[in-house]
């Protein structure tokens, strides 16, 4: 059985993949864009976890969100 298409999860997955590709970039601007993708994508996963009442998903992606924010700030030397 093929699972139903969930646009929230699809966007979160695409942002996560794009973030992984971009943070491997050589320039701070490209890495910053990658962390930005992760920030938004992780918030989407937190929202998904809340919608489906999965506390594990919420905690894990809330932590990933915090780390993406830290990475974004460190990338720019803030």
């Amino acid at each position: 059985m093929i699972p139903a298409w969930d646009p929230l999860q699809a966007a979160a997955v695409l942002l996560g993949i794009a973030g992984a590709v971009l943070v491997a970039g050589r320039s701070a601007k490209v890495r910053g864009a990658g962390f930005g993708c992760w920030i938004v994508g992780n918030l989407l996963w937190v929202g998904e976890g809340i919608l489906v009442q999965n506390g594990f998903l919420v905690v894990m992606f809330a932590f990933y969100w915090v780390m993406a924010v830290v990475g974004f700030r460190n990338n720019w030397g803030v």
Side-chain angles (χ1 to χ4, degrees):
M1 180 175 168
I2 298 173
W5 182 259
D6 183 343
L8 180 65
Q9 288 183 18
V13 166
L14 292 174
L15 286 165
I17 292 169
V21 169
L22 293 170
V23 296
R26 293 180 187 240
S27 75
K29 186 176 182 179
V30 171
R31 286 191 307 272
F35 284 114
C37 286
W38 278 347
I39 288 168
V40 175
N42 291 336
L43 280 178
L44 292 177
W45 279 118
V46 169
E48 176 69 16
I50 291 168
L51 286 173
V52 299
Q53 298 179 352
N54 184 332
F56 296 109
L57 197 64
V58 172
V59 170
M60 182 171 67
F61 281 98
F63 178 77
Y64 290 167
W65 178 82
V66 170
M67 292 295 97
V69 170
V70 170
F72 184 84
R73 290 175 55 93
N74 286 342
N75 184 63
W76 296 109
V78 176

